[in-house]
């Protein structure tokens, strides 16, 4: 949502190794400072990361902003506002893709995305036959269930090599999920 040293490190690595990236930006709290900061970068796109990255699920449920814990019209209204705000801030570097917080989204909301102006959805895991194109991530660099830090490099390399091999055979892509603030 804001420029930071961690973001600058990620942008520097992207530039140094010529790796294009799509940043999932949270629309509600972001603003012109991040847009200005990214204006000088190359090969960086911006997608919508929910609306405010707030959990609306119950205390015994997995975190979810894009569920039916609130009226469907409220959720879709926020997603439409997020799309419009980021498109205005980022212009040609904006991609009309939704990246749900916590990689969770209710099917009823997925069914509304195209009508809201979204052209793609990105979650973690294999692509499904959803009513909208999926550009997913497949390898996560963070060990969320263990150290909550970076995965062991050998394990990460093994996961990445396996995914790239499978993706190549099927003429698919490989998405790498990073969390630059973590």
């Amino acid at each position: 949502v804001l420029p930071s040293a961690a973001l600058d490190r990620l942008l520097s690595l992207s530039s140094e190794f010529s790796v294009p990236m799509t940043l999932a930006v949270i629309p509600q709290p972001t603003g012109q400072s991040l847009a200005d900061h990214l204006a000088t970068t190359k090969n960086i796109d911006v997608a919508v990361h929910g609306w405010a990255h707030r959990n609306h699920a119950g205390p015994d449920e997995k975190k979810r902003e894009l569920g039916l814990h609130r009226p469907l019209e409220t959720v879709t209204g926020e997603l439409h506002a997020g799309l419009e705000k980021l498109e205005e801030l980022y212009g040609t570097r904006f991609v009309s893709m939704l990246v749900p917080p916590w990689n969770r989204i209710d099917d009823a909301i997925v069914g509304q995305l195209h009508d809201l102006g979204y052209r793609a959805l990105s979650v973690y895991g294999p692509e499904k036959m959803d009513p909208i194109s999926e550009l997913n991530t497949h390898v996560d660099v963070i060990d969320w269930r263990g150290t909550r830090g970076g995965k062991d490099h050998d394990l990460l390399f093994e996961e990445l090599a396996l995914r790239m091999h499978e993706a190549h055979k099927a003429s698919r892509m490989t998405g790498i999920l990073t969390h630059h603030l973590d």
Side-chain angles (χ1 to χ4, degrees):
V1 297
L2 293 168
S4 68
L7 177 60
D8 285 344
R9 181 169 184 262
L10 183 66
L11 295 174
S12 176
L13 288 168
S14 171
S15 176
E16 181 180 349
F17 295 102
S18 300
V19 176
M21 291 189 307
T22 301
L23 295 178
V25 175
I26 306 167
Q28 190 266 336
T30 199
Q32 195 63 50
S33 65
L34 182 61
D36 291 345
H37 193 72
L38 294 178
T40 61
T41 63
K42 293 181 180 171
N43 297 320
I44 305 296
D45 292 327
V46 171
V48 178
H49 193 38
W51 170 248
H53 209 294
R54 284 194 193 110
N55 177 29
H56 297 284
D60 296 330
E61 299 175 85
K62 290 184 176 184
K63 291 180 179 179
R64 185 180 292 239
E65 179 176 51
L66 303 178
L68 296 179
H69 304 90
R70 303 175 295 149
L72 178 63
E73 297 77 25
T74 300
V75 178
T76 57
E78 289 176 351
L79 291 176
H80 183 69
L83 184 132
E84 287 184 333
K85 180 176 181 179
L86 294 189
E87 187 172 26
E88 183 178 319
L89 282 170
Y90 295 100
T92 59
R93 82 174 48 238
F94 173 73
V95 292
S96 56
M97 179 169 68
L98 176 63
V99 181
W102 300 289
N103 287 299
R104 295 186 189 104
I105 183 169
D106 190 275
D107 289 340
I109 298 167
V110 172
Q112 300 289 313
L113 292 178
H114 187 271
D115 290 344
L116 294 171
Y118 287 93
R119 298 297 169 252
L121 173 67
S122 181
V123 293
Y124 184 79
E127 289 77 10
K128 297 181 292 250
M129 296 304 296
D130 276 327
I132 192 164
S133 297
E134 284 191 22
L135 299 169
N136 290 351
T137 55
H138 309 91
V139 177
D140 192 337
V141 301
I142 302 290
D143 177 17
W144 292 109
R145 293 190 175 114
T147 64
R148 298 193 64 81
K151 282 185 182 171
D152 174 80
H153 291 153
D154 289 338
L155 176 62
L156 189 57
F157 179 77
E158 183 181 330
E159 282 182 41
L160 189 56
L162 179 63
R163 170 60 198 181
M164 290 176 76
H165 178 72
E166 291 171 357
H168 178 72
K169 287 192 307 187
S171 297
R172 304 295 301 212
M173 59 164 229
T174 296
I176 301 172
L177 181 59
T178 65
H179 303 80
H180 74 273
L181 294 178
D182 291 311

